[in-house]
């Protein structure tokens, strides 16, 4: 049986540049983050690209592969850089009170060597159609994951009530899943 244990939940009480999880315990098998995000990005845009960094690493040690279904078209995007892409948040022109939602999964986060990251998410457009995407990423840092930050790739603030929950995953062998809050 696998257990998902809430390590930390953050809900913003005011606009803020990022959501940061720090001092992540090194006692779990994997990590999972579930998020609901909206940013201050204006210019009539409905979506804002979101990113994450591991252990504050701003070097060019991230690789991304994204498959995005948006506005009736499917696109594939690849790249490397100083941040890892995750799926988008809603921006100012998205329907009122809507948030882009998704999850991020990091297996074997305590082991040395490259860290694989996968994420999937969706947001809603003004025409009430869902936009979605899948991202596969790699961080080439060698250390265990001790902190994660989520932020707008366009330098925007996250809006009040944006939230993210970090879970620790303990592997089991019975095939079931238990969710527990510490």
């Amino acid at each position: 049986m696998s257990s998902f244990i809430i390590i930390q939940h953050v809900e913003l009480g005011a606009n803020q540049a990022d959501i940061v999880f720090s001092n992540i315990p090194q006692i779990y098998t994997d990590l999972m983050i579930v998020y609901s995000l909206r940013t201050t990005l204006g210019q009539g845009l409905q979506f804002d690209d979101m990113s994450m960094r591991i252990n504050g690493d701003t070097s060019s040690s991230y690789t991304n592969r994204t498959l995005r279904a948006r506005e009736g078209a499917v696109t594939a995007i690849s790249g490397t850089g100083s941040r890892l892409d995750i799926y988008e948040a809603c921006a100012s022109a998205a329907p009122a009170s809507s948030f882009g939602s998704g999850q991020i999964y990091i297996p074997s986060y305590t082991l040395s060597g490259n860290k694989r990251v996968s994420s999937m998410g969706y947001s809603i457009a003004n025409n009430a159609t869902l936009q979605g995407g899948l991202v596969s990423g790699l961080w080439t840092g060698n250390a265990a994951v001790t902190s994660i930050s989520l932020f707008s790739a366009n330098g925007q603030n996250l809006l009040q009530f944006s939230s993210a929950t970090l879970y620790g995953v303990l592997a089991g062998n019975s095939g079931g899943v238990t969710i527990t809050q510490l």
Side-chain angles (χ1 to χ4, degrees):
M1 176 180 308
S2 294
S3 295
F4 291 74
I5 299 153
I6 296 174
I7 297 172
Q8 185 179 0
H9 174 75
V10 175
E11 182 176 311
L12 300 183
N15 294 1
Q16 186 171 304
D18 56 11
I19 291 176
V20 178
F21 299 107
S22 57
N23 301 314
I24 296 172
Q26 302 294 295
I27 59 173
Y28 303 103
T29 309
D30 305 333
L31 296 174
M32 184 174 72
I33 298 171
V34 176
Y35 63 84
S36 178
L37 306 171
R38 187 177 178 102
T39 75
T40 58
L41 183 63
Q43 306 163 346
L45 297 174
Q46 297 184 63
F47 312 108
D48 190 358
D49 294 325
M50 295 301 298
S51 295
M52 67 180 276
R53 284 199 178 104
I54 297 173
N55 295 354
D57 185 358
T58 59
S59 67
S60 296
S61 57
Y62 301 93
T63 302
N64 299 289
R65 304 279 188 265
T66 303
L67 182 61
R68 177 183 293 166
R70 182 195 285 176
E71 298 165 356
V74 176
T75 56
I77 305 163
S78 297
T80 59
S82 63
R83 64 180 191 262
L84 187 64
D85 294 335
I86 59 173
Y87 200 68
E88 59 200 17
C90 286
S92 62
S97 301
S98 62
F99 288 73
S101 300
Q103 74 176 40
I104 303 162
Y105 201 84
I106 307 170
S108 305
Y109 76 103
T110 61
L111 301 179
S112 63
N114 296 340
K115 305 298 181 290
R116 299 173 317 256
V117 179
S118 63
S119 70
M120 63 180 202
Y122 75 92
S123 51
I124 190 164
N126 277 327
N127 61 5
T129 59
L130 289 176
Q131 318 291 327
L134 302 169
V135 181
S136 177
L138 182 73
W139 176 57
T140 58
N142 198 34
V145 176
T146 58
S147 70
I148 298 170
S149 60
L150 307 177
F151 58 94
S152 163
N154 296 301
Q156 301 299 305
N157 279 334
L158 299 173
L159 284 179
Q160 180 182 22
F161 306 121
S162 289
S163 66
T165 305
L166 174 65
Y167 294 87
V169 181
L170 291 173
N173 56 18
S174 71
V177 174
T178 303
I179 299 176
T180 309
Q181 183 169 359
L182 293 179

